[in-house]
């Protein structure tokens, strides 16, 4: 598979990290080459709201800024890449994608009705300590949701039932160091990857941010292809991958 040396910025025995637009990266991947797509694309939900937390109940906690970055202001949306996701997945391929909850049902119906996918789950990451609400008009948002869909309708896709029964949610606290504003918990990504792929499978994340998907794939022996267009986050991803290769702990 020739993805192009110009886009490649870091390589390990298992995978390659690319400085590449998601569509350019996908365009260079062969039909049916990927076993699992595990990704967290931009939701396009950024706004200029800031939750000030410099006193009172929350003490000296950092303010919460809902402007996640220029990359999350409508530059790309799911319609732009979903058909390419379908193309690069093998016949038993699995798609796991985080996205804005209002759109996940639409995406699921599109995959089912247009491409014949089986929607296995709308899974949930549950935060024990969600961010406070800026205005006292609704509950705190303590969940993030993702779709699990397979190209086949029945069996054949890679699912590690030997790991035992599992609910379709992952419970965690947001107390890890963030290098990206929408960074996912490594334990969450590992839980998903272990269940929905086998060792040696090829995992793709074209919106890898600060590298969590690649780091987890490297640690649990999955081949991987990952990319992003933000130099700052890619540099962090490279440093994280170097630590994995050197058996160092990333804090």
């Amino acid at each position: 598979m020739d993805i192009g040396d110009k886009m490649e910025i870091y390589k390990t025995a298992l995978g390659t990290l690319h400085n590449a637009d998601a569509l350019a990266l996908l365009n260079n991947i062969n039909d049916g080459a990927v076993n699992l797509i595990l990704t967290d694309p931009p939701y396009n939900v950024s706004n200029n709201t800031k939750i000030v937390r410099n006193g009172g109940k929350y003490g000296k906690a950092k303010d919460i800024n809902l402007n996640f970055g220029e990359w999350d202001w409508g530059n790309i949306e799911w319609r732009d890449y979903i058909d390419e996701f379908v193309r690069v997945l093998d016949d038993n391929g699995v798609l796991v994608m985080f996205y804005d909850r209002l759109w996940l049902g639409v995406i699921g119906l599109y995959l089912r009705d247009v491409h014949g996918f089986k929607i296995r789950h709308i899974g949930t990451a549950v935060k024990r300590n969600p961010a406070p609400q800026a205005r006292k008009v609704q509950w705190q948002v303590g969940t993030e949701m993702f779709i699990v869909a397979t190209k086949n309708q029945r069996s054949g896709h890679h699912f590690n039932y030997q790991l035992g029964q599992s609910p379709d949610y992952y419970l965690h606290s947001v107390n890890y160091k963030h290098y990206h504003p929408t960074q996912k918990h490594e334990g969450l990504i590992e839980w998903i990857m272990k269940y929905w792929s086998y060792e040696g499978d090829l995992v793709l994340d074209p919106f890898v941010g600060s590298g969590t998907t690649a780091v987890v794939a490297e640690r649990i022996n999955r081949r991987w292809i990952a990319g992003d267009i933000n130099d700052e986050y890619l540099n962090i991803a490279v440093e994280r991958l170097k630590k994995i290769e050197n058996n160092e702990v990333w804090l």
Side-chain angles (χ1 to χ4, degrees):
M1 187 184 311
D2 181 14
I3 297 180
D5 292 338
K6 290 183 180 179
M7 293 191 289
E8 183 181 304
I9 63 169
Y10 192 75
K11 187 172 185 177
T12 74
L14 289 173
T16 51
L17 180 66
H18 303 268
N19 187 338
D21 173 88
L23 296 178
L25 182 60
L26 286 161
N27 190 54
N28 283 277
I29 298 176
N30 296 338
D31 295 1
V34 175
N35 304 111
L36 169 66
I37 298 174
L38 174 48
T39 191
D40 182 25
Y43 293 6
N44 305 315
V45 295
S46 281
N47 61 65
N48 289 315
T49 300
K50 179 180 285 188
I51 303 171
V52 178
R53 305 173 70 192
N54 57 1
K57 179 179 178 181
Y58 300 104
K60 296 181 180 179
K62 291 182 179 179
D63 295 346
I64 297 171
N65 191 341
L66 299 183
N67 180 355
F68 300 121
E70 182 181 351
W71 51 269
D72 194 48
W73 282 86
N75 296 321
I76 191 170
E77 60 178 44
W78 68 271
R79 294 181 185 87
D80 298 324
Y81 49 78
I82 201 73
D83 293 331
E84 282 293 283
F85 280 2
V86 174
R87 180 186 65 79
V88 302
L89 279 172
D90 71 13
D91 289 341
N92 290 310
V94 181
L95 169 62
V96 181
M97 186 173 89
F98 290 82
Y99 210 72
D100 179 17
R101 68 190 65 205
L102 294 177
W103 283 104
L104 280 177
V106 176
I107 294 169
L109 290 172
Y110 180 85
L111 288 168
R112 185 194 70 181
D113 296 343
V114 175
H115 292 293
F117 272 55
K118 173 73 173 179
I119 310 307
R120 304 286 174 175
H121 299 281
I122 300 295
T124 309
V126 182
K127 302 172 186 177
R128 294 187 181 94
N129 54 342
Q133 278 294 321
R135 300 176 181 86
K136 298 177 181 179
V137 296
Q138 64 187 48
W139 289 328
Q140 296 165 276
V141 179
T143 59
E144 291 186 82
M145 297 181 177
F146 56 91
I147 193 167
V148 181
T150 61
K151 217 170 187 181
N152 62 300
Q153 284 286 328
R154 296 187 179 179
S155 60
H157 56 279
H158 292 187
F159 180 74
N160 273 312
Y161 64 88
Q162 296 95 338
L163 295 176
Q165 297 287 328
S166 176
D168 57 1
Y169 63 85
Y170 183 86
L171 183 64
H172 70 287
S173 296
V174 184
N175 55 8
Y176 49 93
K177 190 170 184 179
H178 278 68
Y179 298 92
H180 188 284
T182 63
Q183 182 178 319
K184 297 297 180 286
H185 193 283
E186 281 191 24
L188 166 65
I189 299 303
E190 183 171 327
W191 168 66
I192 293 170
M193 198 181 295
K194 278 184 173 179
Y195 267 97
W196 294 98
S197 67
Y198 298 155
E199 286 195 24
D201 277 358
L202 180 60
V203 179
L204 168 66
D205 186 352
F207 301 97
V208 78
S210 57
T212 301
T213 305
V215 165
V216 171
E218 191 75 20
R219 190 167 61 225
I220 65 172
N221 197 33
R222 269 64 169 171
R223 295 178 298 127
W224 56 272
I225 300 170
D228 208 275
I229 58 173
N230 186 292
D231 290 337
E232 176 186 356
Y233 298 135
L234 284 169
N235 289 336
I236 294 170
V238 169
E239 292 306 310
R240 293 176 75 185
L241 286 164
K242 286 180 179 178
K243 286 184 178 291
I244 289 290
E245 286 194 294
N246 294 329
N247 295 314
E248 298 177 29
V249 177
W250 177 265
L251 299 176

